[in-house]
Amino acid sequence: MIDLIVSIIIGILAGAIAGKLTNQSGNGCLINLLLGVVGGFVGGWLFGILGINMGGAPSWLGALITATVGAALVLWIWSKLKK
């Protein structure tokens, strides 16, 4: 249960960071945060396929980086679908 809560918090942080990095401020905070949670799963899947391991970083930092990359990708796709 704790791991799920930590994953959701990391996803929310990743969504906020990715929203700032990609200038997707028009989506609204809630959309960025929800897409950040989805992006956490996408980032983990993508890094797994590419064989990227964040083993050198602390586990929370590796998870945050992975989730932020995934969230940025999800936000980019979201912006393309909105047009």
Side-chain angles (χ1 to χ4, degrees):
M1 183 68 172
I2 297 294
D3 289 338
L4 178 63
I5 293 170
V6 170
S7 295
I8 291 171
I9 291 170
I10 287 175
I12 290 170
L13 289 172
I17 294 168
K20 295 291 183 188
L21 291 175
T22 60
N23 291 326
Q24 297 292 328
S25 58
N27 292 327
C29 184
L30 183 60
I31 296 294
N32 282 355
L33 298 180
L34 290 174
L35 292 176
V37 173
V38 172
F41 293 106
V42 170
W45 172 77
L46 182 64
F47 276 34
I49 286 179
L50 297 174
I52 298 172
N53 185 356
M54 299 298 294
S59 63
W60 65 268
L61 182 59
L64 183 61
I65 291 169
T66 301
T68 302
V69 169
L73 178 63
V74 169
L75 284 170
W76 179 76
I77 292 170
W78 177 262
S79 71
K80 297 302 177 193
L81 293 175
K82 279 188 3 179
K83 290 183 180 180

